[in-house]
Each structure stands twice: as structure tokens, then as C-alpha cells.
Amino acid sequence: MSFRRLRALCWKETLQIFRDPSSNLIAFVLPMVMMFVFGFGINLDSSVLRIGLLDEASGTESNGFARALEASPWLEVHRYETRAGLGHDITESKIRGFVIIPPDFSRRLKDPSGTAPVQVVADGSEPNIAQFVGSYVNGVWQSWLQQDFADRGKELKREIALEPRYWFNPSAQSRNFLIPGSITVIMTVIGALLTSLVVAREWERGTMEALLASPVSRAELLLSKIIPYYLLGMFSLLLCAATARWLLGVPFRGSILALCVVGTFFLLSVLGIGLAISTGMRNQFNAAQAALNAAFLPAMMLSGFVYEISSMPAFLRGVTHLIPARYFVSSIQTIFQAGSLWKVLLPDILALMLSSAFFLGLTARLTKRRMD
């Protein structure tokens, strides 16, 4: 191997990256666009829910509970006069649920043997939102009930008092694990999609013949395609991590070293996937389509980034073990939320090492110094 030739080839590949508008778009613009889309556009939490309220009691107690609902920062309460109006608006998705206070609210509230005389109906077409409606209204109800008993000089006895604590994500915000997971998708785009076009572009432009006619070895050719995109990928990884931490406010509890180690082996895996596709297909369009199906879509659907792997069928759970993105999602979420726990990261690192060795070895096997 000649390091002089390797340096020249790497410099040629670097110039080609910066001179190609599509490569610049994918490498620099698309990652930031995706980070902000995932950061602000995708949110599994619900900040403010629109609900309806029908007070059929119109008493002191019911008015107090209604005001407690309206004072909640999580609920946007709209009062109604009839049940028909509630049914119409929840059907039209104008409200996500409603609360009905029955006429005998005050009497049943003061009866020690009575049950909670409040009806809560939520829109079950979106189960996640329905659970939020129930939880928010129940939280307001428990707080108001305790205050009401205290105002009347009585003690609300609770046999069990729940005090939840959320480890690793105290604020329980979905963006704190969605945004680190989205970095996996971005690295997949940079690694697999860009490199899937590299060799195919050489064949389409007719420059591959010149490379094959030169004294460049197969190892030099492969390394010249890997090194520039590896450096580009690591730069994007650190840029995305800084964006997540300083612009999107996601806690980062790990170390840069752990992030770089895990990111290195994941990048080598996706670079190997992209180069293997590009080597086997000599058309850029076909290579890009294959890269989307082989790397991008599995990273989105089967990595645990959005959909919980344990909830998948047994067959798909087995398939996820073959996808490098699964291990990187687990590792980067651990680094962001829990820290550099090497005992936890080591199994993922080993899996990514095997994955990178397999795909890079496959690329080397497919690369031949022949025109056929």
C-alpha cells in the first residue's frame, strides 16, 4: 500500500464531496433539517388538551371542581350546555374528551359510602391521547378532592399514596429519547445513502476505468472511499450532539469518548452497507433506492427509535438483531440519558464491531479490479 496514493485518492474524494451539490445537501443541510423536524415536529407528549365540561349540578362544589379543571396548565376547558354538544364536538375532533358533573354531585360527594360522581369520556381513536385525558383529569380530581376535604376540616384518608420518580428522564419528555434516536437515522443517511452513490457515480461518469488502469490497489481504493465519509460522519455526529444539547435542550450525561467509540463502529457498519450496495449496483438511482430499503427504512422502523422492539412479533424481534441501528439507538440513548455506562455499552459495541467487519468484508469481496 502506498500512503502517498491513498492520501491523493482521499483528497480527490473530499474535493468531489464538496463539489457535488447533492452530496452537500445530504451531508450538511439534511442533518440539521432532520434534527429540527425530530426535535420540534415529532412529540409523543401532549402539552395542552382540549376537553369539554358539562356542569349539571351548578353547585358550590361543582363550581370549585370546574375552576380547578380550568386552572390546570395541561387542560383547555370549554364549557357546554348539553350532552349533545359534547357528543358532536368529540365526533368532529374539536375536543379530545369531556367531563360531566352529574346533578347529585354535592350529595354523593358528602356521602362517605359514595363513589366519585364524575364521568370522564376520552377519544379512544388515539389511545395515547385518551390516556393523557384520563390521567390529567384524575390528577386534578385528586388534588381538588384533597383540598376540599381540608377546607371542610376533614382528612382524606389514602391507604396507598403513589409518588412516581422517573429515572434517567426526570421530566418524562419523549424528546429526550427521540432526539438521540434520530441521530441514528441521520448517521444512516450520511453513511449509507452517500456512500451508496460513490462507486456507482464512478461507473456512470466513466472515471472507474481510469482508476482500474492505475496502480491503485483494492485496499487503497476502498480506504479512499471510507476515510473521507467517516470523517464527514463523525463531524455530523458531533454537530448533531451539540445541536441536541445546546439548541434543543436534551441532557447529555455521557462522555464524548463514549459517543465517538460507538459512533465509529456504527459509521463503519453503515459505510460498509452503502459501499456494498454501490459496488454491486453501477447505477446511482438504483443504488439510492437500495440504500433506502436496506439501511434507512430498517433504521426508522426496526431499531427501537420510535417503535418498541419488545412489542413486535417474535420474528421481527429476531430480525432487529441483524440491524446495526438497533445497537446504536440503544447506546446513544444510554449515553445521553444515563451516562457512559461501559458495562451497558460493551455488548452493543461488540455487536457493531461484528457488523462493521461483516459489511466491510463483504464490500472488499465484491470489489474487483475488472470491468465485468
Side-chain angles (χ1 to χ4, degrees):
M1 179 183 295
S2 170
F3 290 98
R4 181 172 177 270
R5 285 199 302 266
L6 178 60
R7 184 174 66 251
L9 287 172
C10 289
W11 179 245
K12 186 268 294 184
E13 196 67 38
T14 302
L15 291 177
Q16 194 166 346
I17 292 173
F18 287 102
R19 289 172 180 173
D20 185 10
S22 61
S23 297
N24 288 325
L25 181 65
I26 296 174
F28 300 106
V29 178
L30 188 58
M32 290 297 97
V33 172
M34 293 178 67
M35 280 294 294
F36 284 102
V37 167
F38 285 121
F40 296 104
I42 299 179
N43 188 0
L44 301 182
D45 304 322
S46 183
S47 55
V48 179
L49 293 173
R50 298 187 308 275
I51 67 169
L53 174 63
L54 176 59
D55 184 2
E56 296 180 337
S58 298
T60 304
E61 290 81 2
S62 64
N63 286 332
F65 177 56
R67 287 194 298 270
L69 286 173
E70 293 171 338
S72 172
W74 313 111
L75 298 173
E76 181 183 325
V77 180
H78 300 269
R79 297 212 181 208
Y80 287 77
E81 299 296 331
T82 63
R83 297 193 177 207
L86 291 171
H88 176 271
D89 282 1
I90 197 173
T91 303
E92 297 291 331
S93 297
K94 294 181 180 179
I95 56 176
R96 293 299 186 179
F98 56 81
V99 178
I100 297 178
I101 304 176
D104 57 350
F105 178 83
S106 298
R107 179 181 60 80
R108 295 179 62 185
L109 182 65
K110 297 175 182 178
D111 186 358
S113 62
T115 57
V118 176
Q119 182 182 18
V120 181
V121 177
D123 182 1
S125 62
E126 297 185 30
N128 194 41
I129 298 297
Q131 292 180 3
F132 280 124
V133 171
S135 298
Y136 290 166
V137 173
N138 182 65
V140 174
W141 166 254
Q142 294 296 334
S143 299
W144 176 83
L145 191 63
Q146 185 174 10
Q147 184 62 42
D148 181 71
F149 270 65
D151 293 341
R152 288 187 284 149
K154 297 183 179 181
E155 181 181 358
L156 179 61
K157 296 182 179 180
R158 297 182 181 179
E159 297 181 0
I160 300 177
L162 298 179
E163 295 183 2
R165 296 290 186 272
Y166 301 99
W167 282 16
F168 311 126
N169 188 8
S171 61
Q173 294 182 355
S174 61
R175 65 186 301 176
N176 289 346
F177 72 89
L178 281 177
I179 292 176
S182 69
I183 298 178
T184 303
V185 179
I186 296 171
M187 293 299 99
T188 303
V189 170
I190 294 176
L193 188 57
L194 277 179
T195 52
S196 68
L197 306 176
V198 171
V199 180
R201 183 170 53 219
E202 299 277 11
W203 285 108
E204 286 188 355
R205 294 180 177 179
T207 55
M208 182 58 74
E209 289 85 348
L211 284 175
L212 295 179
S214 68
V216 174
S217 66
R218 182 170 60 177
E220 291 169 356
L221 179 61
L222 290 178
L223 287 175
S224 68
K225 304 297 183 184
I226 292 174
I227 294 174
Y229 289 98
Y230 167 76
L231 297 176
L232 179 62
M234 292 303 297
F235 171 77
S236 296
L237 175 61
L238 296 176
L239 179 62
C240 289
T243 302
R245 174 64 184 89
W246 301 110
L247 294 182
L248 301 178
V250 178
F252 183 82
R253 299 186 174 91
S255 65
I256 299 298
L257 174 62
L259 183 64
C260 290
V261 169
V262 177
T264 292
F265 291 110
F266 177 69
L267 269 176
L268 291 177
S269 297
V270 293
L271 287 173
I273 294 174
L275 284 175
I277 293 172
S278 187
T279 304
M281 298 183 177
R282 300 184 179 184
N283 180 274
Q284 291 189 74
F285 178 79
N286 293 336
Q289 295 300 313
L292 287 175
N293 288 299
F296 179 75
L297 290 180
M300 280 289 296
M301 308 297 292
L302 300 177
S303 65
F305 160 50
V306 177
Y307 306 104
E308 183 65 33
I309 294 178
S310 60
S311 301
M312 298 178 183
F315 171 74
L316 285 181
R317 289 201 302 270
V319 172
T320 60
H321 290 284
L322 304 177
I323 299 173
R326 169 192 172 134
Y327 306 103
F328 189 59
V329 166
S330 173
S331 297
I332 198 169
Q333 288 179 343
T334 299
I335 292 171
F336 266 84
Q337 298 188 78
S340 301
L341 306 179
W342 290 103
K343 291 184 178 180
V344 179
L345 297 175
L346 186 59
D348 293 333
I349 294 175
L350 292 177
L352 289 173
M353 290 175 64
L354 293 175
S355 174
S356 60
F358 172 77
F359 287 113
L360 291 176
L362 178 63
T363 303
R365 186 175 181 83
L366 292 174
T367 302
K368 300 177 181 179
R369 291 185 53 83
R370 298 198 305 267
M371 292 294 295
D372 56 351

